[in-house]
Amino acid sequence: MKISMMKKLTVSLVFALLAVPAVSSAQTFFRFPASQLGDQCGNGGCVVSAYKDYGGRDYACGGVRYSGHTGIDYALVGGFSKMDYGVWAMNAASGVIESSVDGYFDRCNYWDQGNPYAACGLYTANYIIMRHADGTKTKYWHLKAYTQQFARNTSLSCAYWIARVGSSGASTGPHLHFEYWVPNYGIDDPYAGPCGTPYTRWTSQGAYRGLPGIACQ
Ligand SMILES: [Zn+2]
């Protein structure tokens, strides 16, 4: 009798522990990671060219992805001339600049898969990685050379102009590759949908193929 009571208690304790929500109140949520001013990504200046790939589908079960794609690509409408005009990537939430790379060629229009250390290879992107209060990270890839505004270890509140969108590294045209990373899990997707994850990490996810909102958490 006593043992079965103990077992019951143990079982209910386990359930109680499992019932604790995985999402804490300290969870970081993101705004759209670029400027939405009228001459920037506003007025249709940027479009989603690829979502994260879920083995042939995007989070919404559509086909806006390519094989093995780990983040979201926001492309500049107007290509290199819009890039030369200048479009600002912005940090999607408050955090610290954990790492950054700069100085690589930023007008790539092809990707040399066979020679990843060449200009326009896999390992020649200019980028910024930010770490947020909940331990998650956001990554801003393919940045325009010598436009980064802050040094490593700088703490920023949400929505600073951190660098201009470019086409460095494995990139076929000017776009921001935005990636979301979770401790003890790895690369995740900020979008929620029927073929993706159940929880959005955007303050306002927006419509499919539209852009997320610009409200900071
Ligand atoms: Zn990408």
Side-chain angles (χ1 to χ4, degrees):
M1 184 66 178
K2 219 177 181 181
I3 287 168
S4 73
M5 283 282 282
M6 281 289 282
K7 267 188 180 166
K8 264 189 181 167
L9 187 62
T10 308
V11 166
S12 55
L13 269 175
V14 167
F15 273 102
L17 286 171
L18 288 174
V20 171
V23 180
S24 80
S25 57
Q27 176 85 46
T28 300
F29 288 87
F30 305 111
R31 57 151 279 155
F32 177 62
S35 172
Q36 272 276 39
L37 293 176
D39 65 341
Q40 303 273 299
C41 285
N43 297 326
C46 297
V47 293
V48 177
S49 57
Y51 289 110
K52 184 178 180 294
D53 179 38
Y54 290 88
R57 294 183 292 189
D58 59 40
Y59 76 96
C61 311
V64 184
R65 36 58 71 193
Y66 62 85
S67 191
H69 191 226
T70 52
I72 304 105
D73 290 344
Y74 299 106
L76 303 189
V77 174
F80 285 102
S81 59
K82 186 69 181 267
M83 174 181 123
D84 291 340
Y85 174 80
V87 175
W88 289 100
M90 299 173 77
N91 58 312
S94 63
V96 178
I97 296 181
E98 183 180 83
S99 59
S100 60
V101 163
D102 201 357
Y104 284 117
F105 178 69
D106 60 12
R107 303 184 76 82
C108 293
N109 59 9
Y110 69 98
W111 171 21
D112 188 352
Q113 279 182 279
N115 191 6
Y117 292 96
C120 305
L122 256 184
Y123 306 111
T124 52
N126 306 316
Y127 65 82
I128 291 172
I129 298 176
M130 290 206 68
R131 187 179 64 251
H132 305 287
D134 63 351
T136 60
K137 297 177 189 183
T138 48
K139 306 183 180 186
Y140 310 78
W141 231 256
H142 310 301
L143 301 171
K144 195 170 193 298
Y146 306 118
T147 63
Q148 296 190 24
Q149 302 295 298
F150 302 101
R152 282 176 217 168
N153 297 316
T154 304
S155 286
L156 296 175
S157 52
C158 176
Y160 275 79
W161 291 356
I162 53 173
R164 281 178 166 170
V165 176
S167 193
S168 54
S171 176
T172 55
H175 74 285
L176 176 67
H177 171 102
F178 178 74
E179 198 167 294
Y180 172 55
W181 183 92
V182 177
N184 304 316
Y185 181 78
I187 297 162
D188 204 350
D189 189 356
Y191 287 95
C195 286
T197 69
Y199 305 107
T200 186
R201 302 306 182 201
W202 299 110
T203 55
S204 171
Q205 177 164 303
Y208 181 60
R209 303 213 70 176
L211 301 178
I214 60 168
C216 284
Q217 182 173 20

